[in-house]
Amino acid sequence: MKPISTFCVIPDLPDQLAPLWDLGHNLWCSWCQEAVVVFCRMDPEAWIVSGRNPLRFLSALGPEQLAELSSDTGLTDHIEGVVSRFEEYRKRRSWFEQSYPASPMSIGYFSLEFGLAESLPIFSGGLGVLAGDHLKSASDLGLPLVGIGLLYRQGYFQQALNSDDWQTELYPESDFDHMPIQQVTTPSGDPLVVQVPFPRGSVHARVWSVEVGRTALYLLDTNIEQNEPDDRDITSILYGGDSEMRIRQEILLGIGGLRALYAMGIRPSICHMNEGHCAFQALERIRILMVEQGFSFEAAREATVAGNIFTTHTPVSAGNDWFPHQLVSDYLGAYAGELGLSIEQLLGLGRTDPQDSEGEFCMTVLALRLSTHSNAVSRLHGEVSRQMWAGLWPDVTAAEVPITSITNGVHSQTWVSPEMADLFDRHMGEGWRYNSSGENWRELISQVPDAELWVVRQRRRHRLVEYARSHLASQFRRQGDSRAKIDQLLEQLDGNVLTIGFARRFATYKRANLILNNLDRLEALLSDGERPVQILFAGKAHPHDDAGKEMIREVISLSRQERFAGKAFFLEGYDVNVARFLVQGSDVWLNTPRRPQEASGTSGMKAALNGSLNISVLDGWWAEACELHAGWAIGRDEIYENPRYQDEVESNTLYDLLESEVIPLFYDRGDDGVPGAWVGRMKEAIGTLVPVFNTHRMVRQYVDELYAPNQARWEQLNSDRDRIAQLSEWKSNVRAAWPEVNIDHVKADPPNLPRVGTVIPLEATVSLGHLSPEDVRVEIYMGRVDTQHEIQQPETLALSYLSSNGDGQHAFGGEYRCATPGSQGFTLRVLPCHADLRDPLEMGLVCWA
């Protein structure tokens, strides 16, 4: 029987405890450790049972317990202190206010998932956690930013292992009443609902808000009565279903998300797309401007692209979203008409080759084409991305493909252990929480007594072992193991033993089994009576990734072998809490991806924050972090054609490192029991990595390098309707006339043996057809020449206009200066040139000599 009315009853908290209910609705309390301590202090066991969810925790406390807690003056004073700290946090003058006073910037950050806290299960892994950490640092730094995502009823799956050690997936329903979300309402008090176009009619989406410190996150939910059952399921499961479900979710996120912001009066000047899932927002932004200003598609495109930022996370083409053209036609055919486009024109925006009528539609291609700036998430990933998407700019050299890089980071306050945070507070002051710029991190951490830092490391390892024993005992009981066997296994876990952690998504390229490549060598490492080692694994495979699931079973099978029993374990149910214990308690963090398939990786950053030392392949962030000499590299970035040989080489390198350097360093103790050289390496890791690989640095970099410059350009273009129209018309004319552009003749007379400093005059005759010399930039493209006769590390220099012959030919001249010895070379090229172009290469039009 269905009710005729529903409502949510909230707990009747005593006045002394009532502030905790409001505080529990703001996710600031998930990264303020004093707030976490308050909840844990009230009832440690109930706090764990609640899943560290403040609202569920408070709702579970009975009247007698509440009365007893409210009479505890020590607790109530503690609560008042946390509330005061939160008010101080909200009023604190932020970095953004100081750096960009009176800026009209407004940022919309779109992401298909956000990993903020256990109480909001709408994320699957690294991409979501990165998005969540981005919002947290945006709050700490005071950015005018809001997040936009989807509110999944079942979120991502919970992992369980069956009796055959095969991963199974559970999809429990989320309890919205005990999640830190609130419905957004209209001025009349009704729930705010937006409509999104779909083939069978509009889908309605309710809007919820989440408080993330000083930042708001808005989430769309289609599970409402106005929708058909199939449409209600759009926000059921993150990454669930087939390609059709994926495109429905991405239409909802991009088009619906922007409509929701506009309905709330939020009109972002900068829209940041976190991965290609969000790219449809760029089309909706164009459509809105066409309706409001009467612009053509091309003019509206120019006006809006100036404010779009795109971050790509996937270094493998197949890992991006590719949709069959018929699916896109079915879902966006009518919408294309609203944009004044044919469906083929819309499809062309997302095809690598716009003229390929059978080509698939790629969300990353759409985002790249409709963004003024695109970036990868590490320096190496930038190189990979420029190579991978070079086909979109066929006449541009791969090194100049307009994809830059901003290396990811982690939110330090979220991932640091309480003990390490206390140590930082004592020796660095609380300023590290709000400004991780790190000018003096290395100096300050070097002054910490070795014994003090070692005590923190010991304490966290012991806590990890205690947690692992409890977690594994429940896991083994569910799988049917006897109590005697469980006790025998778990008593071997030792809080004093060198502990290696490996926890991440079990995709095959991450090679969780690389350390299993030679079991005899591994046994020798783990079974050394004088210098023992233990390994803790955790991670999920995608529900459809049987190869990843098989890898999990391989790890578990090893842990069940007699020679490895009690020395290697796999912890099921990988989630934020499991990850937190592992990154805070492991001595060594192991990372073994197949280079260059790791875009960035952030788990090693979290481990380094807690004094763990990284051993990793030179991929993602570690390719640049290891330059700081704060850990160990597996190999020297070699890539072999045979993957098995690659695994053999790198697994042997890993064993060699562990045998000859890592294990001896850990167990080399002084008279005081402290491993001085190991602690010195910990200090090096903390002092050099933590101040760089954090989201405060990352977000400031986004502001300084992308948000602020494009805000200025967006304002400039959108303040002058005629300017937009003129730029759009100019681009159309240039594209039409570009086939007429040609470098007819180059005159250069270098001496036979030029010396450094020799100046070589150049003159070029260029045919421009219907274009004028003001429409182009003629450049010398010069640099060192390698053995393949390719110019490396090029420099460019513009030539000056000299004269015209009246017949479409124009002369340009300049000088080539021989700056360094060795093989040198140059060529010439012509690029479009206009005052309102962000980059002469953005149009992809280049004429080479």
Side-chain angles (χ1 to χ4, degrees):
M1 180 66 66
K2 291 188 175 182
I4 62 171
S5 177
T6 61
F7 46 87
C8 175
V9 178
I10 66 172
D12 182 20
L13 298 176
D15 291 344
Q16 298 91 330
L17 307 181
L20 292 178
W21 186 255
D22 290 336
L23 195 64
H25 277 89
N26 194 305
L27 292 177
W28 173 85
C29 69
S30 71
W31 76 82
C32 172
Q33 291 178 349
E34 278 300 304
V36 173
V37 168
V38 164
F39 291 115
C40 191
R41 174 178 177 177
M42 293 169 70
D43 189 329
E45 185 174 344
W47 175 244
I48 293 172
V49 170
S50 75
R52 291 154 295 279
N53 181 331
L55 303 182
R56 183 178 291 123
F57 169 74
L58 292 170
S59 298
L61 301 178
E64 293 183 2
Q65 187 175 12
L66 289 172
E68 181 180 349
L69 290 170
S70 65
S71 64
D72 182 342
T73 55
L75 174 64
T76 56
D77 287 347
H78 196 172
I79 292 171
E80 288 181 11
V82 170
V83 171
S84 296
R85 185 166 186 161
F86 179 51
E87 291 305 316
E88 178 190 346
Y89 172 81
R90 292 204 291 193
K91 295 174 183 176
R92 177 189 298 270
R93 188 160 185 261
S94 71
W95 169 84
F96 186 84
E97 290 173 317
Q98 296 176 54
S99 303
Y100 295 91
S103 170
M105 187 187 303
S106 173
I107 307 158
Y109 184 89
F110 291 72
S111 182
L112 199 57
E113 52 173 306
F114 287 90
L116 288 154
E118 295 98 311
S119 59
L120 192 65
I122 58 170
F123 61 100
S124 69
L127 177 71
V129 171
L130 183 279
D133 283 5
H134 193 115
L135 261 60
K136 292 172 184 178
S137 280
S139 171
D140 290 344
L141 298 171
L143 267 64
L145 179 147
V146 297
I148 308 96
L150 304 182
L151 182 60
Y152 304 99
R153 192 166 72 250
Q154 294 174 298
Y156 200 53
F157 72 91
Q158 291 182 6
Q159 180 193 53
L161 300 172
N162 65 19
S163 58
D164 294 325
D165 298 325
W166 188 256
Q167 174 185 290
T168 60
E169 294 82 37
L170 307 174
Y171 292 92
E173 293 271 343
S174 293
D175 179 4
F176 284 10
D177 291 336
H178 289 129
M179 287 169 59
I181 57 176
Q182 295 178 315
Q183 285 195 50
V184 177
T185 57
T186 65
S188 62
D190 297 320
L192 176 63
V193 175
V194 296
Q195 296 184 42
V196 186
F198 278 82
R200 295 187 298 273
S202 293
V203 169
H204 298 76
R206 176 171 45 187
V207 184
W208 300 80
S209 69
V210 180
E211 297 178 46
V212 186
R214 297 186 282 192
T215 298
L217 168 63
Y218 297 103
L219 303 171
L220 275 61
D221 165 28
T222 62
N223 185 29
I224 56 179
E225 292 182 358
Q226 292 100 311
N227 291 327
E228 295 297 321
D230 285 351
D231 296 332
R232 296 181 70 162
D233 285 341
I234 293 174
T235 54
S236 176
I237 298 174
L238 172 62
Y239 302 135
D242 54 13
S243 293
E244 185 170 5
M245 178 57 77
R246 177 67 68 89
I247 199 171
R248 298 172 87 199
Q249 290 184 336
E250 295 180 3
I251 288 171
L252 178 65
L253 172 64
I255 297 176
L258 195 65
R259 290 186 180 185
L261 292 183
Y262 274 57
M264 292 182 286
I266 302 170
R267 300 176 71 94
S269 51
I270 301 295
C271 287
H272 187 163
M273 296 175 279
N274 188 44
E275 193 55 288
H277 313 131
C278 326
F280 288 133
Q281 76 80 22
L283 292 177
E284 177 66 6
R285 204 173 182 193
I286 291 170
R287 187 199 66 81
I288 291 173
L289 200 59
M290 291 173 68
V291 171
E292 293 182 345
Q293 299 292 333
F295 282 154
S296 66
F297 176 85
E298 289 301 332
R301 176 179 177 173
E302 292 302 331
T304 57
V305 163
N308 289 341
I309 307 297
F310 169 55
T311 299
T312 177
H313 292 261
T314 310
V316 179
S317 180
N320 294 267
D321 280 341
W322 297 83
F323 294 122
H325 59 87
Q326 189 58 54
L327 182 64
V328 180
S329 298
D330 291 344
Y331 273 87
L332 293 174
Y335 188 77
E338 294 186 50
L339 294 167
L341 303 176
S342 68
I343 188 59
E344 279 301 311
Q345 287 174 312
L346 188 147
L347 286 166
L349 291 170
R351 286 172 168 156
T352 305
D353 177 2
Q355 306 307 316
D356 179 6
S357 61
E358 298 300 315
E360 289 195 318
F361 183 93
C362 179
M363 295 297 286
T364 300
V365 172
L366 180 66
L368 288 167
R369 286 215 171 101
L370 296 181
S371 298
T372 189
H373 265 110
S374 300
N375 71 281
V377 291
S378 71
R379 193 168 64 202
L380 177 59
H381 182 222
E383 296 173 13
V384 172
S385 298
R386 287 188 287 275
Q387 292 282 349
M388 187 164 68
W389 301 111
L392 301 183
W393 295 270
D395 294 322
V396 176
T397 61
E400 292 182 297
V401 166
I403 301 175
T404 183
S405 63
I406 293 179
T407 302
N408 282 344
V410 298
H411 186 252
S412 299
Q413 290 189 76
T414 294
W415 296 104
V416 69
S417 71
E419 295 87 349
M420 192 66 77
D422 288 344
L423 183 141
F424 290 165
D425 286 343
R426 290 196 303 274
H427 293 279
M428 300 181 187
E430 290 199 3
W432 71 270
R433 298 175 181 270
Y434 306 105
N435 180 21
S436 302
S437 57
E439 289 88 353
N440 56 354
W441 268 75
R442 191 164 188 169
E443 178 184 350
L444 291 173
I445 198 69
S446 69
Q447 296 172 8
V448 175
D450 286 2
E452 189 175 345
L453 184 55
W454 183 241
V455 165
V456 170
R457 174 101 307 275
Q458 293 272 72
R459 190 170 296 160
R460 286 313 310 183
R461 189 189 319 104
H462 279 273
R463 292 204 173 185
L464 169 60
V465 166
E466 291 169 9
Y467 171 78
R469 283 174 177 160
S470 173
H471 187 100
L472 289 164
S474 299
Q475 174 180 322
F476 293 155
R477 281 196 298 270
R478 283 194 300 273
Q479 291 185 286
D481 289 323
S482 68
R483 177 158 189 161
K485 182 179 179 181
I486 293 171
D487 290 344
Q488 181 183 10
L489 279 174
L490 297 185
E491 70 181 7
Q492 296 180 66
L493 263 176
D494 190 337
N496 296 308
V497 166
L498 172 64
T499 303
I500 299 174
F502 182 102
R504 53 187 46 81
R505 186 162 54 92
F506 263 64
T508 52
Y509 81 86
K510 290 181 181 285
R511 297 188 300 177
N513 57 354
L514 187 70
I515 197 170
L516 316 183
N517 210 46
N518 186 324
L519 295 184
D520 290 336
R521 290 191 74 177
L522 180 61
E523 180 185 10
L525 288 172
L526 301 187
S527 302
D528 188 326
E530 295 183 1
R531 301 186 305 189
V533 178
Q534 56 197 10
I535 308 178
L536 295 175
F537 293 90
K540 294 178 177 179
H542 187 278
H544 300 147
D545 183 6
D546 285 350
K549 293 181 181 181
E550 190 59 53
M551 192 173 287
I552 290 175
R553 185 150 63 178
E554 180 184 355
V555 170
I556 298 172
S557 174
L558 169 120
S559 71
R560 292 185 180 278
Q561 292 182 30
E562 183 176 351
R563 57 177 172 165
F564 297 111
K567 302 178 181 69
F569 295 92
F570 180 89
L571 282 67
E572 74 171 354
Y574 183 51
D575 61 8
V576 169
N577 195 50
V578 172
R580 187 183 293 118
F581 272 97
L582 283 166
V583 298
Q584 292 177 357
S586 298
D587 297 295
V588 169
W589 197 253
L590 182 61
N591 188 36
T592 50
R594 193 179 299 282
R595 179 185 165 104
Q597 296 184 42
E598 181 97 288
S600 175
T602 55
S603 62
M605 302 175 191
K606 297 161 190 166
L609 172 64
N610 290 283
S612 181
L613 300 182
N614 278 266
I615 302 180
S616 176
V617 170
L618 288 169
D619 201 7
W621 80 291
W622 194 242
E624 56 202 87
C626 197
E627 294 176 358
L628 303 174
H629 309 294
W632 292 273
I634 300 173
R636 292 189 293 274
D637 72 24
E638 311 95 332
I639 298 178
Y640 302 100
E641 291 185 8
N642 186 325
R644 290 187 178 180
Y645 183 68
Q646 184 95 29
D647 293 348
E648 183 73 20
V649 169
E650 292 182 345
S651 63
N652 283 329
T653 301
L654 172 58
Y655 297 134
D656 290 344
L657 279 171
L658 290 169
E659 291 167 353
S660 63
E661 294 189 44
V662 178
I663 297 172
L665 197 69
F666 180 85
Y667 284 106
D668 182 15
R669 307 295 169 87
D671 294 339
D672 57 359
V674 175
W678 183 274
V679 173
R681 199 112 182 195
M682 286 172 58
K683 290 181 177 180
E684 185 178 27
I686 294 169
T688 57
L689 301 182
V690 175
V692 177
F693 297 99
N694 64 80
T695 44
H696 281 28
R697 182 274 309 158
M698 182 192 80
V699 170
R700 286 198 306 266
Q701 199 173 347
Y702 273 110
V703 174
D704 293 339
E705 297 180 13
L706 302 186
Y707 296 166
N710 289 295
Q711 171 72 20
R713 185 164 181 264
W714 182 88
E715 290 177 25
Q716 190 178 55
L717 282 178
N718 283 272
S719 64
D720 188 342
R721 178 190 176 98
D722 291 339
R723 189 169 187 168
I724 294 170
Q726 289 165 7
L727 177 60
S728 174
E729 183 179 1
W730 177 87
K731 280 191 171 183
S732 295
N733 293 338
V734 169
R735 288 193 181 97
W738 198 255
E740 304 171 10
V741 176
N742 188 60
I743 299 174
D744 300 323
H745 179 68
V746 178
K747 180 182 178 181
D749 295 311
N752 288 333
L753 290 172
R755 296 178 180 275
V756 171
T758 298
V759 174
I760 303 171
L762 292 169
E763 188 172 317
T765 304
V766 180
S767 292
L768 296 178
H770 289 85
L771 300 181
S772 70
E774 291 77 20
D775 292 326
V776 301
R777 173 185 172 96
V778 181
E779 292 182 337
I780 306 172
Y781 183 92
M782 53 195 176
R784 182 179 59 82
V785 176
D786 64 14
T787 56
Q788 303 301 314
H789 303 288
E790 294 286 341
I791 296 175
Q792 301 296 317
Q793 299 174 338
E795 297 180 9
T796 60
L797 178 68
L799 299 184
S800 301
Y801 170 70
L802 298 178
S803 63
S804 298
N805 66 3
D807 194 25
Q809 284 191 322
H810 307 270
F812 293 81
E815 295 178 339
Y816 174 77
R817 182 177 296 274
C818 300
T820 58
S823 295
Q824 305 287 313
F826 69 88
T827 186
L828 267 64
R829 67 183 181 183
V830 184
L831 306 169
C833 181
H834 190 283
D836 287 333
L837 279 184
R838 178 190 64 81
D839 182 340
L841 293 167
E842 70 177 69
M843 295 177 66
L845 300 177
V846 185
C847 176
W848 293 92

